[in-house]
Amino acid sequence: MPSILDCHPTRAAYAPGATALIRVTCAGAASIPWRGVARASLCAVDGVVTHAERPVDLAANEVAQVHIPLSLPPDDLRGYGVELELRDANGAVAAKAITALDVCARWERAPRYGFVCDFSPDERDTTERMNAMARYHLNAVQAYDWMYRHYDFVPPTRVFTDALGRSQSLDVAQNKVNLAHELGMKILAYAAIYAAQPDFFNTHRELGLFKLDGSPFSLADFLINTDITNPVWRDLMLRECQRAMSALGFDGIHLDQYGYPRLAHRLDGAPVDLEAALPDFLNAVRDAIGDAPTVFNAVNAWPLEAVAQSRMDPLYIEIWPPNDTLRDVREVVLRAGGLRGGNPPVIAAYIEALKSGDAGAITALRRLTAAIYLNGGSHIVLGERDGALADPYFPKYARLDAASAQLVRRDYDFISRYSEYFFAPDWRDVSATHVGGINEEIRLNTPRFGPNAAPNSIWAIARTRGGQLTLGLVNLVGLMDTAWNASQPAPPVLQNVEVRLQLEFWPNAIYFASPDVDDGRPQRLEISREGRIAKAVLPRLDIWGVLMVS
């Protein structure tokens, strides 16, 4: 019998009404040829939307690719499953597989932000790296430390040595920009808003930011902080951002900071309030690059409210202690979403244990993924083929092994398939009033459940939109510490979890889906009645999943 080795869309994301192309890699049977069709079905939660077929003619042991076009609906911010089947001349199914895609007019509304940071002139697998990122449905990419110097972005030669001594190639960077565009990804050039190497600072001390004792603020004596309120530095930064956009064709700028200083002094002792100065500076950058996408890193949510007053989009937060727990992650996501009308923020959170490659680190990553997306956020973690960020200096990323990469890809297929349930801005979090404690609206037949990511419990996250309710579930059973930046044991698989809903409306349908169950396909659950209570039973809960009630 033939088999399907892999299947995925050829682009990371699609515009409403576009035509998606599904690439199916098929393998022929060991001893005989096979002839039939490959069918792709575009599936919403409640059924098939459309389908298309292409003929397949496989010799024995042949590996071949088939591309199947699917016309997408005009609806914006929607996700779909894509069911693949190989059918013989009699219509019998010989092989099956599944993938996903989503439709969104603007990546900022459903961000899946990745990274690139390797630009070595010796790199020979750039195409494979970028294609792998598209298979995770990453619709935007941060090009980290692509530049020559922090004050002089575009290098004087095609091959150059960057500020940390890495040999870099502008041609490799250009290739990654071009491939990102071909694959449906936006790509943003990294730039720090107030940093310069000592050689620049030593001849421009008047542009520095100083402590009360007169010494300059710096990052490990490698980068000296500069003054964004100084018109000379401001004009230099705006000019360099414009050069980056025009020289390589970047789609926008990703602006970074180091979380300090908050108050500083100029060389003449005059005070500088960075929080007060930021909105105007950030908007000036966006204006300088023609209102192109511009992102700014609010380190540990500072200064989040000031950044929210600017036109940075999406909001981006790098999380550090004391935001140590999964509950802290939830609070940061909700706070940022509340400042932007429910639009999803991007969270940077680095799991150091990924460097070791142990299974507990992957469990921690998958729980963190659930924590961020189920609360309405997005996570920057994937890039450079199967890389995963484990350090704030992106080139120190970890490499996922094949089994771990498959698990994480399954999660991102799931996020893409159910895109509107994660990213639509009109979802309203009602966890605190509907789940746990004295609340009677939603109950589970487990000893410990609730909205606060308590150890050794089922974390239940409830959100409503019109006549819909979702209940995100994260299995924390057996976990005694909910620190997100730590290796974690896999939880026991929970069987037959009963959910009791007292919502003062009777559900028309209840579906459950999990990346760990039936490849993320939605399962329609039987609803039973007990007075005012609707009851449904989840067949199993591994790491995470979501209940969808309409």
Side-chain angles (χ1 to χ4, degrees):
M1 297 287 282
S3 61
I4 298 175
L5 302 179
D6 196 9
C7 59
H8 55 85
T10 58
R11 289 171 65 86
Y14 292 91
T19 297
L21 201 61
I22 309 302
R23 179 177 294 132
V24 187
T25 304
C26 311
S31 56
I32 58 173
W34 186 89
R35 178 174 294 172
V37 298
R39 168 178 283 206
S41 298
L42 189 75
C43 301
V45 170
D46 55 358
V48 175
V49 176
T50 188
H51 72 272
E53 295 180 349
R54 285 293 182 270
V56 179
D57 194 348
L58 293 169
N61 295 311
E62 180 185 8
V63 175
Q65 289 187 339
V66 182
H67 292 85
I68 307 174
L70 284 172
S71 297
L72 302 177
D75 308 291
D76 195 10
L77 197 52
R78 291 292 305 272
Y80 301 95
V82 182
E83 297 278 356
L84 281 305
E85 295 176 334
L86 296 183
R87 296 187 174 196
D88 65 20
N90 298 317
V93 176
K96 298 174 67 175
I98 190 169
T99 183
L101 60 83
D102 80 324
V103 172
C104 190
R106 295 180 57 208
W107 73 270
E108 299 98 318
R109 299 287 69 81
R112 293 176 301 278
Y113 203 17
F115 72 93
V116 291
C117 62
D118 292 338
F119 307 101
S120 167
D122 299 325
E123 183 171 296
R124 298 293 180 266
D125 61 344
T126 303
T127 299
E128 290 80 4
R129 289 172 182 242
M130 299 301 289
N131 280 329
M133 291 167 61
R135 289 195 289 271
Y136 289 109
H137 312 282
L138 303 178
N139 55 12
V141 179
Q142 178 188 155
Y144 179 91
D145 269 11
W146 64 278
M147 68 284 193
Y148 175 60
R149 295 291 184 270
H150 288 68
Y151 58 89
D152 185 9
F153 295 171
V154 181
T157 57
R158 305 304 292 181
V159 175
F160 62 97
T161 301
D162 75 3
L164 281 173
R166 294 193 305 162
S167 179
Q168 304 279 67
S169 166
L170 198 62
D171 292 331
V172 172
Q174 182 68 74
N175 195 19
K176 290 188 174 181
V177 171
N178 296 343
L179 286 167
H181 293 159
E182 291 176 17
L183 294 166
M185 301 183 237
K186 301 296 185 183
I187 183 164
L188 281 65
Y190 173 94
I193 64 168
Y194 54 18
Q197 281 70 34
D199 60 338
F200 179 91
F201 171 75
N202 289 336
T203 57
H204 299 84
R205 288 182 60 83
E206 73 281 1
L207 301 183
L209 287 175
F210 296 87
K211 303 174 186 177
L212 196 58
D213 63 5
S215 61
F217 280 100
S218 66
L219 179 67
D221 297 324
F222 158 64
L223 291 171
I224 312 300
N225 291 76
T226 47
D227 181 7
I228 63 172
T229 70
N230 187 301
V232 175
W233 178 257
R234 175 176 168 139
D235 289 348
L236 182 151
M237 283 299 298
L238 301 187
R239 184 171 61 251
E240 291 303 307
C241 289
Q242 291 169 336
R243 289 181 67 213
M245 297 283 287
S246 61
L248 279 84
F250 285 112
D251 298 294
I253 299 292
H254 179 103
L255 298 169
D256 197 12
Q257 60 145 335
Y258 308 127
Y260 65 88
R262 297 171 187 185
L263 294 175
H265 303 272
R266 299 190 183 99
L267 187 61
D268 63 6
V272 178
D273 184 338
L274 273 298
E275 182 170 351
L278 265 172
D280 180 65
F281 178 86
L282 299 177
N283 286 337
V285 172
R286 183 152 189 161
D287 288 338
I289 60 173
D291 203 35
T294 316
V295 176
F296 175 74
N297 180 11
V299 175
N300 231 12
W302 181 84
L304 189 57
E305 283 72 18
V307 177
Q309 295 171 19
S310 74
R311 302 200 316 279
M312 299 297 98
D313 192 23
L315 293 179
Y316 180 107
I317 302 132
E318 187 179 70
I319 293 183
W320 294 98
N323 293 306
D324 298 316
T325 68
L326 293 173
R327 182 176 181 178
D328 293 330
V329 172
R330 165 179 161 81
E331 295 302 322
V332 170
V333 171
L334 293 181
R335 177 181 163 197
L339 291 170
R340 282 293 176 84
N343 285 310
V346 174
I347 303 299
Y350 316 117
I351 298 177
E352 295 176 12
L354 286 169
K355 297 175 183 177
S356 68
D358 68 274
I362 299 302
T363 301
L365 174 58
R366 298 195 62 215
R367 279 197 176 112
L368 182 58
T369 297
I372 293 171
Y373 285 93
L374 287 174
N375 283 292
S378 180
H379 188 200
I380 180 169
V381 64
L382 301 174
E384 292 292 358
R385 204 169 201 158
D386 295 320
L389 292 176
D391 190 275
Y393 182 56
F394 286 15
K396 293 183 178 180
Y397 65 84
R399 179 75 68 186
L400 301 178
D401 61 35
S404 298
Q406 188 61 34
L407 287 173
V408 174
R409 182 177 165 188
R410 197 167 66 191
D411 283 344
Y412 278 77
D413 277 348
F414 187 79
I415 291 161
S416 183
R417 176 169 191 159
Y418 299 103
S419 180
E420 66 266 34
Y421 294 95
F422 295 110
F423 298 120
D426 49 349
W427 286 106
R428 185 169 63 95
D429 188 278
V430 295
S431 305
T433 58
H434 282 56
V435 182
I438 64 170
N439 300 312
E440 297 184 348
E441 286 82 355
I442 302 171
R443 291 193 170 273
L444 307 179
N445 67 334
T446 56
R448 287 172 59 83
F449 69 93
N452 295 326
N456 196 32
S457 74
I458 295 180
W459 184 10
I461 301 157
R463 304 204 298 167
T464 61
R465 179 177 70 161
Q468 296 178 296
L469 176 139
T470 63
L471 183 66
L473 300 171
V474 186
N475 186 354
L476 306 180
V477 173
L479 188 65
M480 295 297 104
D481 183 346
T482 60
W484 58 263
N485 189 10
S487 184
Q488 300 172 4
V493 176
L494 305 179
Q495 308 278 357
N496 301 319
V497 178
E498 183 183 77
V499 181
R500 298 166 62 89
L501 304 174
Q502 186 173 296
L503 301 171
E504 302 306 332
F505 69 84
W506 193 254
N508 292 324
I510 299 177
Y511 292 90
F512 176 70
S514 166
D516 300 307
V517 179
D518 196 23
D519 291 320
R521 294 177 178 91
Q523 301 182 358
R524 185 161 184 163
L525 304 182
E526 181 179 345
I527 305 172
S528 60
R529 188 165 194 160
E530 184 182 295
R532 297 159 55 207
I533 297 172
K535 299 191 297 183
V537 177
L538 312 184
R540 61 182 286 166
L541 179 65
D542 294 59
I543 298 288
W544 69 292
V546 61
L547 196 78
M548 295 163 280
V549 182
S550 61

